[in-house]
């Protein structure tokens, strides 16, 4: 956090007129890092400025603008602004789908980001189509060992849980967690996110013992990453308390 604050102060003290592309890239890096730590008010002005800088360039590439829009959409989704997150997510997807130099991974992530936003908005059918498309594309390519496949499994698992398909959801989330652990270890932000979704699905399914153990792991990781007083940690504490209240004495 302290290093990010120092970087932000340095960005604020530098004239942005001479190197807008470099500044936009730095703003995106710092803003995305703030988002990962759940520091949304700190991330918001940085990512908004990055998008504005990208839009202001007549020669801006659709790839870089699309990436900036995706970062901002992720922030807005996390912050609960679903209409604006959806609008930016759809714009990013349209740009990246037609951009000649966009990487396939960026297109996958645009679809998964929009799917997550739609899930939060309760629009499960369209969300499922987006996530399923990514899963199937990666399986056809036999590209199932990387980050994109793990994220696609997670997104589809959360959607299936929301649709009430709990057995399918738990299987998808367990596979996603195994891949995230292999890629990043057990205490990473992404492993925490997947375990959080798995704990929710297990609790709804009535597997309260497994749900409790999983949510305790999520709480421990949240305290490590965010600290005891962060709102993300508070949400996990509340979810764990709900599980414990349902466990028979």
């Amino acid at each position: 956090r302290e290093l990010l604050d120092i970087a932000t102060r340095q960005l604020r003290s530098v004239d942005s007129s001479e190197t807008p592309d470099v500044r936009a890239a730095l703003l995106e890096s710092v803003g995305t890092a703030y988002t990962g730590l759940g520091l949304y008010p700190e991330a918001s002005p940085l990512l908004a400025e990055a998008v504005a800088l990208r839009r202001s360039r007549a020669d801006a590439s659709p790839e870089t603008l699309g990436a900036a829009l995706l970062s901002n959409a992720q922030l807005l989704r996390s912050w609960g602004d679903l209409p604006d997150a959806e609008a930016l997510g759809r714009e990013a997807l349209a740009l990246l789908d037609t951009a000649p130099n966009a990487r396939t991974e960026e297109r996958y992530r645009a679809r998964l980001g929009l799917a997550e936003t739609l899930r939060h908005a309760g629009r499960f059918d369209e969300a499922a189509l987006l996530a399923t498309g990514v899963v199937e594309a990666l399986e056809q390519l036999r590209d199932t060992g990387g980050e994109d496949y793990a994220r696609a499994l997670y997104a589809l698992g959360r959607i299936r849980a929301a649709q009430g398909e709990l057995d399918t959801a738990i299987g998808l989330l367990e596979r996603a967690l195994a891949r995230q652990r292999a890629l990043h270890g057990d205490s990473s932000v992404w492993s925490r996110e997947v375990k959080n979704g798995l704990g929710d699905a297990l609790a709804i399914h009535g597997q309260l013992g497994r749900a409790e153990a999983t949510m305790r792991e999520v709480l421990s990781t949240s305290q490590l990453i965010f600290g005891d007083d962060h709102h993300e940690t508070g949400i996990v504490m509340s979810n764990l308390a709900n599980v414990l209240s349902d466990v028979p004495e």
Side-chain angles (χ1 to χ4, degrees):
R1 166 66 188 270
E2 292 179 3
L3 292 176
L4 292 176
D5 291 344
I6 292 170
T8 300
R9 288 195 294 271
Q10 290 175 338
L11 282 168
R12 293 297 180 212
S13 66
V14 174
D15 181 9
S16 64
S17 62
E18 294 184 2
T19 57
D21 287 337
V22 173
R23 180 177 179 82
L26 292 171
L27 288 165
E28 289 163 22
S29 295
V30 177
T32 300
Y34 272 133
T35 300
L37 293 174
L39 300 171
Y40 308 136
E42 290 82 355
S44 180
L46 304 179
L47 294 178
E49 184 182 345
V51 169
L53 285 170
R54 298 294 192 195
R55 289 192 192 281
S56 69
R57 296 294 300 270
D59 59 346
S61 73
E63 295 85 2
T64 56
L65 177 56
L69 291 167
L70 279 181
S71 296
N72 217 335
Q74 178 187 352
L75 164 67
L76 293 171
R77 179 176 66 249
S78 300
W79 216 353
D81 186 352
L82 298 181
D84 284 345
E86 180 182 347
L88 292 183
R90 289 190 185 281
E91 184 182 356
L93 180 56
L95 279 170
L96 293 170
D97 267 353
T98 57
N101 297 318
R103 294 181 296 118
T104 303
E105 292 85 353
E106 292 173 326
R107 293 172 178 150
Y108 289 154
R109 293 181 185 185
R111 282 170 168 73
L112 295 176
L114 181 56
E116 277 288 280
T117 299
L118 293 171
R119 174 177 70 83
H120 284 284
R123 291 153 61 190
F124 304 132
D125 290 343
E126 186 181 358
L129 284 174
L130 288 164
T132 300
V134 177
V135 170
E136 291 178 347
L138 288 166
E139 288 176 345
Q140 284 183 343
L141 294 170
R142 298 186 178 181
D143 184 10
T144 58
E147 182 74 29
D148 291 318
Y149 190 62
R151 292 190 184 190
L153 291 174
Y154 165 77
L156 186 57
R158 293 302 301 258
I159 294 162
R160 294 307 185 208
Q163 291 176 313
E165 300 177 23
L166 293 171
D167 288 328
T168 299
I170 290 168
L172 289 165
L173 291 166
E174 287 174 336
R175 290 164 61 196
L177 180 56
R179 281 162 175 77
Q180 288 294 352
R181 280 172 165 160
L183 289 167
H184 303 298
D186 199 44
S187 298
S188 70
V189 170
W190 263 103
S191 292
R192 171 202 170 275
E193 188 73 13
V194 178
K195 280 190 281 189
N196 194 42
L198 178 59
D200 287 344
L202 290 167
I204 297 168
H205 197 271
Q207 298 184 41
L208 298 179
R210 288 188 63 198
E212 178 187 348
T214 302
M215 295 308 294
R216 287 191 183 280
E217 289 183 26
V218 177
L219 177 58
S220 177
T221 305
S222 299
Q223 290 169 324
L224 179 66
I225 295 173
F226 302 121
D228 291 338
D229 298 327
H230 195 278
H231 69 275
E232 292 284 353
T233 304
I235 291 171
V236 177
M237 287 181 176
S238 177
N239 291 341
L240 177 58
N242 290 336
V243 171
L244 292 173
S245 68
D246 292 332
V247 174
E249 304 220 352

